[in-house]
């Protein structure tokens, strides 16, 4: 694919993102707001500390970095209209199979039950995304992508290492 095609696909995706956001109407949950931390909020940081041992913490961070890379790969495959490959990455790298690998890496560490719920909700959203991708309809796919990313954000707002 040449550069011009890539750029126009990129612009198209962006336009679709805007359209999807505009078409949703004024539902609070449909409009993710960037929560900009003030310096008081940074000082006041009331996220719950997980307090993991070094090994599990390193394993967890590795999983997290792979999550971010998975999102990048999914967006790239959607831009290239490689829907099957995007769906496979969503399922394998963010869905329930990833949970088993994450647990192995975290070597029996225990987490608060609310943390566990947020983790499962994130895998569930990714599975829904994987199911929506074969529709090849970006208007259906992008809201699922947004909810998947939203599940990352929910947990990051609540917990820290
Ligand atoms: C169930 C909770 C949870 C979910 C879901 C979650 N994360 Fe995290 N993630 C964390 C916590 C806790 C940290 C550590 C944050 C801190 O200490 O400030 C973290 C850290 C990270 C880091 C930094 C890794 C490093 O090497 O320091 C990245 C990148 C990241 N997450 C990406 C993601 C992405 C992308 C998703 C969604 C696809 C995601 N996370 C979903 C809990 C979660």
């Amino acid at each position: 694919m040449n550069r011009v095609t890539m750029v126009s696909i990129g612009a198209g995706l962006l336009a679709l993102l805007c359209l999807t956001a505009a078409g949703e109407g004024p539902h609070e949950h449909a409009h993710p707001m960037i929560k900009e931390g003030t310096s008081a909020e940074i000082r006041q940081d009331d996220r719950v500390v997980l307090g993991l041992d070094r090994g599990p913490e390193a394993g967890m961070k590795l999983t997290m970095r792979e999550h971010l890379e998975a999102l990048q790969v999914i967006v790239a495959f959607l831009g290239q209209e490689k829907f099957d490959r995007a769906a496979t990455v969503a399922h394998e790298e963010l869905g329930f199979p990833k949970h088993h690998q994450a647990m192995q890496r975290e070597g029996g560490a225990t987490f608060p039950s609310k943390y566990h719920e947020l983790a499962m909700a994130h895998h569930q959203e990714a599975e829904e995304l994987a199911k929506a991708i074969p529709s090849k309809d970006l208007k259906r796919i992008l809201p699922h992508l947004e909810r998947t990313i939203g599940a990352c954000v929910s947990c990051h707002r609540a917990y820290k290492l």
Side-chain angles (χ1 to χ4, degrees):
M1 195 176 312
N2 67 32
R3 209 181 141 79
V4 175
T5 322
M6 286 292 287
V7 168
S8 52
I9 288 175
L13 256 177
L14 202 69
L16 254 173
L17 266 170
C18 299
L19 272 177
T20 314
E24 286 283 335
H27 306 296
E28 212 179 306
H29 297 293
H31 284 272
M33 292 293 290
I34 295 177
K35 194 168 168 285
E36 291 185 41
T38 61
S39 52
E41 276 172 329
I42 292 168
R43 275 197 305 277
Q44 203 204 330
D45 184 358
D46 52 6
R47 292 174 299 160
V48 174
V49 177
L50 290 171
L52 301 179
D53 290 337
R54 272 171 81 113
E57 179 174 311
M60 191 263 225
K61 283 172 148 182
L62 173 61
T63 303
M64 290 296 155
R65 294 193 301 274
E66 288 174 356
H67 281 350
L68 186 55
E69 286 173 33
L71 288 178
Q72 181 192 14
V73 170
I74 290 167
V75 172
F77 281 145
L78 290 177
Q80 295 161 13
E81 301 187 352
K82 292 179 180 161
F83 295 101
D84 290 351
R85 296 180 74 178
T88 302
V89 175
H91 169 63
E92 289 178 1
E93 289 300 316
L94 296 177
F96 290 109
K98 192 70 179 175
H99 184 67
H100 297 293
Q101 186 192 50
M103 286 206 313
Q104 280 166 1
R105 286 174 176 175
E106 286 150 13
T110 50
F111 291 88
S113 63
K114 181 72 190 162
Y115 182 92
H116 184 71
E117 277 171 33
L118 287 165
M120 296 318 266
H122 138 79
H123 296 305
Q124 184 63 47
E125 292 293 0
E127 294 293 355
E128 300 294 326
L129 170 64
K131 273 188 239 154
I133 289 174
S135 71
K136 304 185 178 179
D137 177 358
L138 288 180
K139 281 197 169 170
R140 272 192 61 193
I141 296 167
L142 287 178
H144 284 288
L145 181 60
E146 187 271 316
R147 282 202 284 278
T148 303
I149 299 171
C152 319
V153 172
S154 299
C155 190
H156 291 163
R157 281 187 182 154
Y159 292 96
K160 63 180 167 183
L161 288 167

